[in-house]
């Protein structure tokens, strides 16, 4: 909780110190995401950090993201609640579906951290520039 409070303070300080409305908007999203995260969410985000992110122009030949089964292999402690944890990460906007709508089967979907998710992790780690 202390680490979350410090990260919230950093996100809000970044918003106050910059007059650019985009910084304020991003800092608000970071703060909202941090308040909705618990330890299992952060653990999954750290695993998803290694997934290949979706580029602005995806190439169908490239594999992006990580499937839930891969996440569970990396951290078996997340297995039982993996789907619920992932749904919260997607709801907060810190994770994204990396299949680009190519499959309807959840077991084959792949996920990656979003740009916002990377900023949230930077903020949680104490990087003061994460809000900008």
């Amino acid at each position: 909780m202390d680490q979350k409070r410090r990260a919230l303070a950093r996100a809000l300080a970044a918003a106050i110190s910059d007059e650019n409305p985009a910084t304020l908007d991003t800092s608000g999203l970071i703060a909202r995401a941090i308040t909705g995260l618990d330890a299992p969410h952060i653990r999954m985000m750290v695993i998803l950090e290694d997934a290949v992110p979706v580029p602005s122009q995806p190439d169908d030949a490239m594999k992006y993201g990580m499937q839930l089964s891969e996440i569970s292999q990396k951290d078996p402690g997340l297995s039982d609640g993996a789907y619920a944890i992932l749904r919260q990460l997607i709801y907060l906007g810190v994770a994204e579906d990396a299949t680009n709508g190519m499959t309807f089967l959840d077991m084959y979907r792949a996920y990656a951290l979003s740009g916002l998710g990377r900023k949230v992790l930077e903020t949680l780690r104490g990087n003061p520039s994460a809000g900008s």
Side-chain angles (χ1 to χ4, degrees):
M1 282 302 275
D2 285 340
Q3 189 175 4
K4 279 176 67 168
R5 278 190 225 116
R6 285 191 295 275
L8 282 169
R10 282 190 297 276
L12 295 175
I16 292 169
S17 66
D18 191 334
E19 295 178 9
N20 182 347
T23 300
L24 179 61
D25 293 344
T26 301
S27 296
L29 291 171
I30 290 170
R32 180 164 187 231
I34 289 171
T35 60
L37 297 174
D38 292 315
H41 302 108
I42 296 168
R43 283 177 27 214
M44 187 176 281
M45 287 177 70
V46 169
I47 292 169
L48 285 172
E49 188 175 27
D50 291 336
V52 177
V54 180
S56 58
Q57 296 295 320
D59 175 0
D60 291 337
M62 178 75 179
K63 179 189 181 287
Y64 304 111
M66 196 178 282
Q67 294 177 343
L68 272 177
S69 59
E70 295 172 290
I71 294 168
S72 295
Q73 285 174 356
K74 290 183 178 281
D75 187 341
L78 296 174
S79 294
D80 290 338
Y83 190 74
I85 294 166
L86 180 65
R87 288 286 137 219
Q88 177 70 3
L89 296 179
I90 291 170
Y91 170 76
L92 293 170
V94 298
E96 59 189 356
D97 184 333
T99 56
N100 295 318
M102 298 303 290
T103 182
F104 296 104
L105 302 173
D106 282 338
M107 68 184 290
Y108 296 112
R109 287 191 181 279
Y111 304 90
L113 276 187
S114 65
L116 178 64
R118 293 186 184 283
K119 288 181 185 275
V120 168
L121 276 182
E122 290 172 11
T123 303
L124 286 169
R125 289 178 174 142
N127 181 345
S129 66
S132 55

